[in-house]
Amino acid sequence: AAAAAAAAGEGTAKETSKNSNMVEKWYLFFDLAAIQAFCDRHPDVIEPPAEDIKKFLNDYIKNADIENLKIRDLFEAIKKKVGALRQPTLDRCRDWAKEAIEKKMELEEKKKVQEANKTKGKGSEGQAMPKPPGAKQKADSDQVVITSASDVEWAVSILAPWGLHTAEAGGKEELLVKPPAMVALPILTALEGFAEQDFFRKAIKDTIIAKVTTALRSHSNSQVSSLARQLVASWKAAAAKRKERRT
């Protein structure tokens, strides 16, 4: 009996050991309401704060060998730090990196001039202290700026993170997921001068910024919905004026 029990115990242990190597897979499903609630509670899932990305980027370039720096290595480092980013955001990172590199080179050139002046005995009295790379960016980090068509494409990717859909045939287009107010408001505010930009007509034609902003008129936040209405009205007026000029 003892031998039989031992054999049974050994068999159970082997079976348990065998099953312990199995991997369970779970499939979780969330409806749009749940995803919307999660985004509202955690705005960073739409996109990490720009100031966090810029700070990491500036620190990375500050310690990098510029001559051997490759953009793919920079993108990979950013991905490890903040996660995967949309292409429009990566395009902005490319521009920020260019600015940071130019400032680093300018700072290094100023240091060379100062060292040369010291060697000549002129000293550096009266000379302005150079600002470290990223100083201006830090001051402007909380302000969203829309100055190009690529910036508009980025704005679309943030304001419509999951795109648009039509609930019913012939119905109006709506956002699958609406950005939280703290994400949407800075971008919509930056778009207030959009109609005066040279690229306004092209951006309106080539992107869905008008459709996305129209959809934001039904945002639950009153500030977002009000600003979206104002923008749509101003863009329509600007388009009408441009049409009159052409005729």
Side-chain angles (χ1 to χ4, degrees):
E10 183 179 355
T12 302
K14 288 182 179 180
E15 187 67 25
T16 302
S17 176
K18 180 180 179 181
N19 291 336
S20 66
N21 294 326
M22 296 177 63
V23 177
E24 291 186 353
K25 292 184 178 180
W26 292 75
Y27 295 92
L28 303 178
F29 298 90
F30 300 91
D31 59 14
L32 284 176
I35 295 173
Q36 183 67 67
F38 186 82
C39 291
D40 290 340
R41 195 165 186 175
H42 305 280
D44 287 7
V45 302
I46 302 295
E47 181 173 83
E51 56 266 30
D52 292 351
I53 300 175
K54 285 183 177 181
K55 183 180 184 305
F56 173 78
L57 188 147
N58 285 327
D59 291 341
Y60 183 90
I61 290 177
K62 182 180 179 181
N63 299 312
D65 179 3
I66 295 178
E67 293 184 0
N68 297 316
L69 179 62
K70 296 180 180 178
I71 192 67
R72 67 171 177 268
D73 294 335
L74 175 60
F75 283 175
E76 186 62 30
I78 294 175
K79 182 179 180 180
K80 289 181 180 179
K81 179 64 178 180
V82 301
L85 298 175
R86 298 178 179 86
Q87 188 57 49
T89 302
L90 291 177
D91 293 339
R92 287 166 71 84
C93 288
R94 191 190 303 269
D95 294 336
W96 293 336
K98 181 180 178 182
E99 293 175 3
I101 290 172
E102 290 175 350
K103 288 181 179 180
K104 180 177 180 178
M105 293 176 65
E106 181 182 353
L107 179 60
E108 290 177 350
E109 185 62 29
K110 285 182 179 180
K111 287 182 177 179
K112 289 180 181 179
V113 172
Q114 288 180 337
E115 290 298 326
N117 288 337
K118 287 180 180 179
T119 303
K120 295 177 182 178
K122 293 182 178 180
S124 59
E125 293 183 3
Q127 295 183 10
M129 290 294 293
K131 295 180 180 180
K136 182 177 183 296
Q137 288 176 305
K138 184 177 181 181
D140 298 337
S141 61
D142 294 332
Q143 182 179 359
V144 176
V145 179
I146 305 293
T147 59
S148 66
S150 61
D151 288 339
V152 177
E153 293 176 359
W154 166 80
V156 168
S157 71
I158 303 303
L159 295 175
W162 279 28
L164 295 159
H165 79 118
T166 304
E168 300 176 358
K172 64 179 182 179
E173 290 184 298
E174 299 177 350
L175 294 169
L176 274 169
V177 174
K178 295 177 181 178
M182 67 179 297
V183 173
L185 281 172
I187 298 176
L188 294 177
T189 300
L191 286 168
E192 288 182 320
F194 173 44
E196 285 74 42
Q197 299 287 352
D198 295 336
F199 56 87
F200 169 72
R201 184 183 175 189
K202 186 178 187 324
I204 286 290
K205 181 180 178 181
D206 295 346
T207 72
I208 59 172
I209 186 64
K211 291 182 178 181
V212 170
T213 308
T214 298
L216 284 171
R217 294 183 301 179
S218 61
H219 198 283
S220 59
N221 182 276
S222 60
Q223 287 181 285
V224 173
S225 60
S226 176
L227 187 49
R229 291 191 186 95
Q230 294 175 27
L231 288 174
V232 172
S234 67
W235 295 348
K236 287 182 178 179
K241 286 183 179 179
R242 295 191 179 210
K243 185 176 182 180
E244 289 178 3
R245 292 173 188 172
R246 292 196 302 271
T247 57

